Amino acid sequence: MQAHWLTAERVRTYSRLFLALYLLMGLVWLYRSEGMVSGGKPLGGDFIAFWSASWLALQGHAADAYQVARIVEAHKLVAPTLDTINLWPYPPTFFLLIWPLALLPYPLAYWLFMLLTFAALATVIHHIAPRRDTWVLLLAFSGVFINAINGQNGFLTTALLGMGLLWLTPRPLLAGICFGLLSFKPHLGLLLPLALLCAGAWRSFITAAVVALLFLLLSTLALGGDTLTAFWQQLPLMRSITEQGLLPLFKMPTAFAAARLLGFETGSAYALQAVISLLAALGVLWTWRTTASLPLRGAMLVVASLLASPYLFDYDLVLLALPLAWLGIEGMRTDWLPLERPLLVGIWCLPLFYPSIALATGLPLAPLLLLALFALIVRRVWLTTASATG
């Protein structure tokens, strides 16, 4: 049989090339920057919202983070010439995780947050794929680069979800704590309760619910009830901004954004998203009831969660590190399915190239690739079940 073109050595070579590309892009940015600010935007552009919210909370005015004028004032402390607005869309619970950031200068706060959360992610991925080349593959994964340059919290959300799934059977209470902490980004956990119910993971389910409620209660006690009120009052604004296309839809790998890019009206876009979300829920329901395989359960939950949410950005695709690791190990442990390796390479490159392709051509390819990965997982579950029964 002819050897597949995508050998392990080629994967390592491609990874080094991507790392060299990231290094070159970083050096160009540094060369063009002044005081870690380039083109009016600071290092890790979105991180300015985290630092600004932290600064307002430290001044005793956390609720002001939900007011456009006040958070823009805080932005100016870091980048006086900034001409964009980075809103603070997170529930009050996230304040508890970023509260001390503004005690540090912006660049130091950025690097500390990125390095600590990446270390958590790397630990999880190493547990999934304990191989010598795991580190270089993870560092070269385009989702890692996109999350880092945006200064986002994708490393943290991926680490919490992955850690929770790894601990689900051996340490259900710790798994529930991880899932409960993930509530600061609720749109990523839409299908998590369904998965836990299908698995009969009641201890994790109840723990997650209790932790999420305590997390919210603690944030309210620490920050004041006006912060929670301000968050709820801002939700209609965030929905309106999304529906009107005021957000960069080309950076949103969702069915809703894809439909809007293709010219669909808002109602039709929501209808398409509803169909995809239902399909994703059915995939989780079937997979978690059909197989006990953690790699297949975990991969399905992550991909289905990305498909189910109408509100995602390219940096959220760092979550794909989990299914890439699980499916990569499965492929080496059993056997590769037809077209599986090229698809995983496409997924590995997706966070970096999707926005440019969508912006240049108007073709939103990300949901299609995610659906292809969804179908691949369904096929693996089907074959695994057939093999076990046959």
Side-chain angles (χ1 to χ4, degrees), residues 242-310:
T242 303
E243 292 177 351
Q244 294 178 34
L246 299 178
L247 295 174
L249 293 175
F250 65 92
K251 294 184 66 175
M252 300 179 67
T254 68
F256 174 84
R260 295 291 284 145
L261 278 174
L262 294 173
F264 284 53
E265 296 295 330
T266 300
S268 300
Y270 272 128
L272 177 63
Q273 180 65 64
V275 171
I276 298 299
S277 298
L278 177 60
L279 176 65
L282 291 174
V284 170
L285 177 66
W286 178 71
T287 298
W288 280 68
R289 290 179 63 88
T290 299
T291 179
S293 167
L294 174 60
L296 297 181
R297 280 181 165 186
M300 173 57 78
L301 178 61
V302 173
V303 175
S305 296
L306 292 172
L307 286 169
S309 177

Side-chain angles (χ1 to χ4, degrees), residues 4-13 131 133 137 332:
H4 195 277
W5 64 270
L6 190 62
T7 62
E9 183 57 37
R10 284 182 176 173
V11 169
R12 286 190 286 268
T13 300
R131 294 171 54 87
D133 53 1
L137 293 177
M332 290 183 286

